[in-house]
Amino acid sequence: MSQSQLVLASTSPFRKELLSRLQLDFETASPDIDESPLEGEPPLQLVYRLAEQKAKACASQFPDALLIGSDQIALLGDQILGKPGNHEKACQQLKKLSGQYVSFLTGLCLYNAKQQRSQIEVIQFNVYFRILSDEQIENYLRAETPYNCAGSFKSEAMGVALFDRLEGDDPTALIGLPLIRLTRMLENEGVCVI
């Protein structure tokens, strides 16, 4: 079977770096969608819907491609954690997370534009935080400035020092693109990674 064109429907540098680990040729495209939750929409349904919408949003541009859409939210209990945007909000967020656990829900969609067929899954990954002192939080934020990251940390870097333990099947889900599941989805479409 000839290699299908592969498109990552994301402008995230983290997702691009993750996908490049599979050593497949791919392009990136920006999905222009409204990411607002629908009224009363549970978080699981939100990431499921947005992952598929992101993949399908680029289908008219790439009508014969396999398109990858992904969306992620971080939950503290039933509260969605956003990106802090600045030092003060990141500090508040990490103080809230100290000694707690956060569930990351990552929606993943592989959309075959030619066949108009979707494979979609939501992968959960839990992060258990150590009890953190104000000094540790301050030191971390000054070292890494993770203001554009939900939860105010970068797990692929120094953020691991904030954790007590991690729980989940696919560590790449935490960064935003679950490669273990994606590999299986690609194989279902005839694209073999190895």
Side-chain angles (χ1 to χ4, degrees), residues 4-7 27 29 55-67 111-117:
S4 298
Q5 181 183 23
L6 192 60
V7 177
E27 294 181 54
K56 287 182 173 181
C58 300
S60 61
Q61 198 180 342
F62 302 95
D64 295 326
L66 296 175
L67 297 119
Y111 180 64
N112 182 324
K114 194 172 194 173
Q115 304 293 325
Q116 297 184 356
R117 176 177 58 230

Side-chain angles (χ1 to χ4, degrees), residues 57-137:
C58 300
S60 61
Q61 198 180 342
F62 302 95
D64 295 326
L66 296 175
L67 297 119
I68 302 164
S70 187
D71 191 73
Q72 183 182 69
I73 58 169
L75 292 171
L76 177 61
D78 58 2
Q79 177 192 358
I80 295 176
L81 300 172
K83 297 174 183 177
N86 63 44
H87 185 85
E88 185 183 335
K89 288 181 181 167
C91 200
Q92 291 169 357
Q93 204 170 58
L94 285 176
K95 283 180 184 183
K96 226 187 243 188
L97 300 180
S98 176
Q100 302 295 316
Y101 83 92
V102 176
S103 291
F104 283 82
L105 300 178
T106 305
L108 175 65
C109 175
L110 182 64
Y111 180 64
N112 182 324
K114 194 172 194 173
Q115 304 293 325
Q116 297 184 356
R117 176 177 58 230
S118 295
Q119 298 178 65
I120 313 169
E121 289 190 50
V122 176
I123 296 90
Q124 181 171 338
F125 201 90
N126 297 326
V127 176
Y128 293 80
F129 284 80
R130 298 170 41 199
I131 293 174
L132 303 166
S133 69
D134 290 351
E135 183 182 9
Q136 288 171 320
I137 290 170

